[in-house]
Amino acid sequence: MKWVVAALLALGLVGGGLAFTGLAPERGLSDEELAAFGFTAFPEPRTIDAFALADATGQSFDIDRLRARWSFVFFGYANCPDICPTTMAVLGAAEARLLADGDPTFQGILVSVDPERDAPDLLADYVASFSDNFVGVTGSPPAIAAFGKSLHAGFAKVPVADSALEYLMDHSSHIAVVDPLGRHCGFIRPPHDAQQLATLTRALVQRWDARTG
């Protein structure tokens, strides 16, 4: 499938980034230090408005699915030619590194901004090509737009002339970060790097444990 090829290419592109740093945080990092890993933290976590979506298997996807773990949420779609497969591949590589090291990882979520074309089976295959653990999310366009607004992720159709696709989706490129209480606490700006995401995850988990333990 085209996205599998794109994912492999993306992993090759970010492979050098895996050597970015081998550090695992030994102390709680400040918001300013976390910014070095591309993370922008809000002064206070923000409540996410109630939503009712579905995952690619047809199961309900609501606020409860965002609790008790860190979630990295990306808004994209299966026909995306560039940023989506690249970002998803980086997320998959970051998760693989954390799992290999025996560290807590994040819940990777792709919310489809093109539910008209991203049928559940297509979305499930697409997400699984990056990680068996990742979750594909869909719903009605208004419901997805409302959820995106809560996470400061906008998107819109862009007509494409002389193309079988007819249109592409212009969408946000950042990754929204949701804390274990289901609150939007910040975002990860591009460009995304697997090692940086892995180190950021370790730092977020450690800081959370220090504050709640």
Side-chain angles (χ1 to χ4, degrees):
M1 294 181 181
K2 63 182 180 181
W3 55 73
V4 176
V5 175
L8 292 174
L9 290 173
L11 284 172
L13 290 173
V14 301
L18 296 179
F20 172 81
T21 173
L23 73 89
E26 296 181 355
R27 59 183 176 81
L29 299 182
S30 67
D31 289 346
E32 291 74 18
E33 289 170 316
L34 290 179
F37 301 103
F39 179 63
T40 298
F42 299 140
E44 294 293 335
R46 302 176 181 180
T47 300
I48 297 174
D49 294 337
F51 60 92
L53 300 170
D55 66 25
T57 69
Q59 299 297 308
S60 173
F61 188 89
D62 57 18
I63 192 63
D64 288 339
R65 299 282 294 272
L66 294 177
R67 293 188 173 121
R69 73 197 86 181
W70 286 94
S71 296
F72 290 175
V73 186
F74 182 70
F75 287 75
Y77 65 113
N79 282 310
C80 180
D82 40 42
I83 190 170
C84 299
T86 300
T87 301
M88 294 300 295
V90 172
L91 284 168
E95 182 200 49
R97 177 170 286 272
L98 290 165
L99 291 172
D101 292 341
D103 292 328
T105 188
F106 54 85
Q107 176 178 218
I109 299 168
L110 173 70
V111 181
S112 174
V113 298
D114 190 15
E116 298 171 54
R117 295 188 297 200
D118 285 349
D121 56 345
L122 174 65
L123 185 61
D125 287 345
Y126 183 75
V127 173
S129 69
F130 303 103
S131 169
D132 290 336
N133 300 314
F134 286 178
V135 181
V137 174
T138 187
S140 69
I144 292 173
F147 184 52
K149 184 177 181 180
S150 282
L151 296 180
H152 304 279
F155 55 91
K157 283 185 180 180
V158 178
V160 179
D162 302 321
S163 170
L165 289 177
E166 298 183 357
Y167 66 88
L168 295 174
M169 298 298 297
D170 184 19
H171 61 91
S172 305
S173 58
H174 67 262
I175 298 168
V177 178
V178 179
D179 71 20
L181 291 180
R183 303 174 302 178
H184 186 200
C185 64
F187 61 90
I188 308 167
R189 59 189 179 276
H192 300 118
D193 175 271
Q195 180 56 57
Q196 290 182 19
L197 290 182
T199 303
L200 172 63
T201 302
R202 294 185 183 103
L204 290 172
V205 170
Q206 184 186 54
R207 188 162 71 165
W208 182 265
D209 289 347
R211 290 178 175 178
T212 62

